[in-house]
């Protein structure tokens, strides 16, 4: 998933292998990270708040959808992307009641969403076009809807090493936590809560993960989370 204009790469069968090549340094698979992100999202949202419509922006092959369904039962989930083979695979694997996958070009024709989940999209978007992509997301959200944005952290050496091992991430330009918060604020969102960091320790040091909630306020984890609310109509 890149900008609204063009796909970054064809999410073929090689995609899974390329991704695994990088993240295997952590000792975990991609579902470990998806589960961690969705759990962090649920914890950051207001207590008791439940979305009825969720947008997975840059959904790829759809692996996040069942995790969103598990944490937000009853919500309809729509995944959008620019890569049609990825959408076809997502629909085949995860399509069903309450789940839909659409090309990004169709987003403006859909009903508004309460929550937009975005992971690892913006480091593939050219810097001048990032406000444009945020504007697309903002239009898709209902007033008061939440943007949940996860990005790889360039301040974390491990994150940079992982990206260097993944062919489609090598040329990507990660955003710093400070830059992301500034872009989100400038796009018409109000930041909700503090930036939170995730994924400090690889599996060999899993016994240290008990400390990660206390480290979350430091912008040094392998990924970080920015939660924001759409302001105005």
């Amino acid at each position: 998933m890149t900008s609204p204009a063009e796909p970054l790469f064809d999410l073929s069968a090689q995609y899974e292998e390329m991704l695994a090549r990088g993240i295997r340094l952590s000792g975990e698979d991609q579902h470990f990270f998806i589960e961690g992100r969705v759990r962090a999202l649920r914890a950051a949202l207001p207590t008791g708040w439940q979305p009825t419509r969720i947008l997975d922006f840059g959904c790829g092959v759809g692996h996040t959808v069942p995790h969103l369904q598990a944490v937000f039962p009853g919500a309809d989930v729509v995944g959008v992307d620019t890569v049609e083979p990825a959408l076809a695979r997502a629909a085949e694997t995860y399509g069903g009641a309450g789940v839909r996958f659409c090309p990004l070009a169709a987003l403006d024709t859909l009903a508004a969403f309460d929550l937009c989940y975005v992971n690892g999209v913006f480091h593939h978007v050219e810097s001048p076009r990032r406000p444009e992509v945020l504007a697309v997301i903002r239009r898709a959200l209902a007033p008061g809807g939440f943007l949940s944005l996860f990005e790889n952290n360039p301040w974390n050496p491990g994150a940079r090493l992982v990206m260097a091992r993944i062919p489609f991430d090598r040329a990507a330009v990660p955003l710093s936590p400070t830059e992301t918060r500034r872009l989100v604020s400038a796009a018409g969102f109000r930041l909700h809560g503090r930036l939170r960091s995730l994924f400090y320790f690889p599996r060999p040091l899993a016994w240290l993960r008990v400390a990660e909630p206390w480290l979350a306020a430091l912008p040094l984890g392998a990924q970080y989370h920015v939660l924001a609310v759409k302001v105005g109509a």
Side-chain angles (χ1 to χ4, degrees):
M1 172 72 209
T2 60
S3 71
E6 58 184 339
L8 175 67
F9 51 82
D10 179 8
L11 285 176
S12 63
Q14 293 180 317
Y15 168 76
E16 302 277 4
E17 191 279 328
M18 289 189 289
L19 180 63
R21 187 186 312 168
I23 63 177
R24 71 166 55 105
L25 287 175
S26 70
E28 305 289 357
D29 65 13
Q30 61 180 310
H31 291 282
F32 169 84
F33 295 101
I34 295 171
E35 181 180 351
R37 285 191 294 268
V38 175
R39 187 171 60 247
L41 165 59
R42 173 69 274 182
L45 288 167
T47 302
W49 185 85
Q50 289 289 337
T52 58
R53 284 177 54 79
I54 301 173
L55 174 63
D56 183 358
F57 189 88
C59 64
V61 294
H63 288 327
T64 300
V65 167
H67 295 271
L68 291 170
Q69 288 182 301
V71 171
F72 303 106
D76 291 334
V77 182
V78 178
V80 298
D81 208 292
T82 56
V83 185
E84 292 189 7
L87 292 171
R89 179 174 168 189
E92 180 181 358
T93 307
Y94 299 112
V99 178
R100 181 181 177 189
F101 296 94
C102 302
L104 179 59
L107 183 56
D108 284 340
T109 70
L110 304 178
F113 295 88
D114 308 304
L115 171 64
C116 178
Y117 169 94
V118 190
N119 171 60
V121 168
F122 280 87
H123 62 257
H124 291 300
V125 179
E126 294 178 357
S127 181
R129 303 198 66 184
R130 289 167 180 167
E132 174 190 347
V133 178
L134 281 167
V136 170
I137 293 172
R138 189 180 183 280
R139 288 197 302 270
L141 284 168
F146 283 92
L147 165 63
S148 172
L149 194 159
F150 292 87
E151 264 298 335
N152 298 346
N153 189 356
W155 297 344
N156 181 284
R160 284 192 170 276
L161 181 59
V162 166
M163 292 181 71
R165 289 171 58 93
I166 300 175
F168 54 77
D169 269 344
R170 286 174 188 156
V173 181
L175 299 76
S176 73
T178 302
E179 180 182 3
T180 299
R181 286 170 61 88
R182 178 183 58 79
L183 283 170
V184 168
S185 295
F189 292 91
R190 183 181 70 250
L191 298 172
H192 182 86
R194 301 175 63 181
L195 180 142
R196 308 293 286 178
S197 290
L198 299 84
F199 312 126
Y200 277 87
F201 301 108
R203 184 176 229 174
L205 297 176
W207 59 277
L208 290 174
R209 289 176 182 168
V210 67
E212 290 192 351
W214 286 272
L215 298 172
L218 301 175
L220 301 175
Q223 283 202 308
Y224 59 85
H225 180 215
V226 172
L227 186 66
V229 182
K230 176 179 176 177
V231 178

